[in-house]
Amino acid sequence: MTTRETLVILDYGSQYTQLIARRVRENHVYAEILPWNVTPERLLALAPVGIILSGGPNSVYAAGAPGLPEIVLSLGVPVLGICYGMQVLARALGGEVRSGSLHEYGATQVTVTQPSSLLFMGSPSSLMVWMSHGDQVAVLPEGFVEIARSQSGVRAAIADEARRLFGLQFHPEVIHTPLGAEVLRRFLFDVCGCAGDWTSEAFIATTVARIHQQVGQNGVVCGLSGGVDSAVTAALVHRAIGDQLTCIFVDTGLLRRDEVAQVEATFQRALGMRLIVVDASERFFTALAGVMEPEQKRRIIGESFIRVFESTAQQLPSIRFLAQGTIYPDVIESAGGPSTHRIKSHHNVGGLPEQMALELVEPLRELFKDEVRAVGLALGLPDVQIWRHPFPGPGLAVRILGEVTRERVATLQVADAIFLEELHAAGCYHQTAQAFAVLLPVQSVGVMGDYRTYADVVALRAVTTDDFMTADWAQLPYDLLARVSNRIVNEVRGVNRVVYDISSKPPATIEWE
């Protein structure tokens, strides 16, 4: 994954912008997302081999709508506009965009009218695509021709092949456009001439060299969480500088069952890293006593973690750098921009305690989660570490609705472990993207033996998703759910009822808090 060649995606606010980048990278071409109004200097510095203009929620003729920066066309590189990107490209070149009398949303049949076009060469004459637009290009710019048309008579694709400029009214990046990936591949390789040499092995070699150069002979500290991002970060830094790296694992008391032992076995014994385990559970439970509100829990846990990590790191000699598992979605979502909302504020980006005055090492900040996993496997990390489901930073505290106590955490740890054990045993763990148990703040009536009980309720949550932006509930086999429920009720003291969450995202979120 060298950055010798870069394809730039200008973001106009589409919900699919990150998906475009992932589709490009699946072809081993490095893609970087920039705001639509990026400075010319920034764009020139990247020397892009091509530019994709994303979709967006605006109308190009509305006052204040995002436009096309002059630098884009002056570079002379291939440009592909998608949906709003097609409209903004056409308008900038003298075409006319109007609000259509016919709006198209969802699956739509299109006919390829120019089968010799580079984007559609070898494609069937009729394609199913995903449309999402009200405006349309009514008058083509000079030099452009229509290369595909929808069944409603709307221009679905346009091209000026002499200048290597293309527009698609549909979204090739979504799975609802079955041949969309092939259209993107043709743009990357037949139009832009990409080499497709951005691989995990090349990324590791380049990143290890960069870390070694950045760090020199200084010490680096890394906070392990048990998750894949921090694990791969630690493995990369360790490969670069060996024992100059010290990892700190803070036991908050809010972790999954046996988490501490698993981390010690993987990083200390198997990989030979310097590891400090700090049992700070009493501090966290004391700080959380009586707290019910989710955001307050997160704030308390975040602040307590920083204080514990900080005090431990300050005892280490010659530490100048802090390694963090920041990944590309963290960078995008935390940065926000003129066309995007600031989605998350609790990521690593910008989270360095000022008092520590350490420089950051963020080797994964240009990778998506699936790319992080590929790098981890190439580094030799165990499969169980790489493929484990995401786990929230605040731990089980956000899966316990209501007050967090040591006793309630112990209850949830056992219930959660049972659920995951049965998923593995049934071969369903890797068919779900995330699965966990939630301890609810309500009790219900039950009968156990000859006794009437009034005990806790556990909710099970399992979802399937490609990108975690949307998710559907996993349709697990009934016999599996029955086994999990039976085991939890029989093995977890104080629980007499188990329910299964069948909500999708949206409208629900994946986590409960």
Side-chain angles (χ1 to χ4, degrees), residues 217-220 244 246 274 276 312-320:
Q217 299 302 311
N218 296 288
V220 180
Q244 289 171 242
T246 301
R274 288 173 131 177
I276 298 173
T312 305
Q314 286 175 341
Q315 298 173 34
L316 300 173
S318 305
I319 298 296
R320 180 179 165 187

Side-chain angles (χ1 to χ4, degrees), residues 419 422-423 426 460-462 473-488 498-502:
F419 188 24
E422 291 295 337
L423 282 172
L460 304 178
R461 178 73 157 146
W473 61 278
Q475 298 185 36
L476 299 176
Y478 290 158
D479 59 341
L480 169 59
L481 291 173
R483 282 197 305 275
V484 174
S485 176
N486 186 63
R487 282 194 61 190
I488 290 176
V498 176
V499 298
Y500 188 50
D501 183 350
I502 59 170

Side-chain angles (χ1 to χ4, degrees), residues 58-62 83-100 133-141 154-155 158 169:
N58 297 283
S59 292
V60 294
Y61 47 77
C83 199
Y84 182 86
M86 166 174 154
Q87 296 163 12
V88 81
L89 176 64
R91 194 164 192 260
L93 290 166
E96 187 175 336
V97 178
R98 300 175 189 156
S99 177
H133 72 96
D135 298 341
Q136 56 189 261
V137 177
V139 178
L140 289 174
V154 174
R155 291 187 173 98
I158 61 175
Q169 189 57 72

Side-chain angles (χ1 to χ4, degrees), residues 202-216 236 239-240:
F203 171 81
I204 291 170
T206 302
T207 304
V208 164
R210 187 168 65 238
I211 293 169
H212 195 274
Q213 181 178 22
Q214 178 186 4
V215 170
L236 268 172
R239 176 168 290 195

Side-chain angles (χ1 to χ4, degrees), residues 70-190:
E70 291 183 9
I71 184 68
V72 170
L73 296 175
S74 68
L75 288 175
V77 300
V79 178
L80 172 64
I82 296 175
C83 199
Y84 182 86
M86 166 174 154
Q87 296 163 12
V88 81
L89 176 64
R91 194 164 192 260
L93 290 166
E96 187 175 336
V97 178
R98 300 175 189 156
S99 177
S101 56
L102 262 175
H103 296 188
E104 293 177 317
Y105 297 99
T108 303
Q109 199 82 22
V110 304
T111 299
V112 176
T113 55
Q114 293 284 342
S116 62
S117 169
L118 288 175
L119 291 190
F120 295 118
M121 193 175 295
S123 295
S125 59
S126 182
L127 304 173
M128 186 62 69
V129 303
W130 189 259
M131 291 282 197
S132 181
H133 72 96
D135 298 341
Q136 56 189 261
V137 177
V139 178
L140 289 174
E142 185 178 349
F144 277 78
V145 296
E146 173 193 288
I147 58 175
R149 174 173 288 262
S150 78
Q151 59 190 4
S152 302
V154 174
R155 291 187 173 98
I158 61 175
D160 180 343
E161 302 213 2
R163 288 189 287 175
R164 299 184 297 170
L165 304 177
F166 299 84
L168 300 174
Q169 189 57 72
F170 60 87
H171 288 275
E173 68 274 20
V174 302
I175 59 173
H176 307 292
T177 301
L179 293 178
E182 184 59 33
V183 173
L184 284 175
R185 272 195 294 273
R186 290 196 183 98
F187 179 71
L188 294 174
F189 296 108
D190 297 342

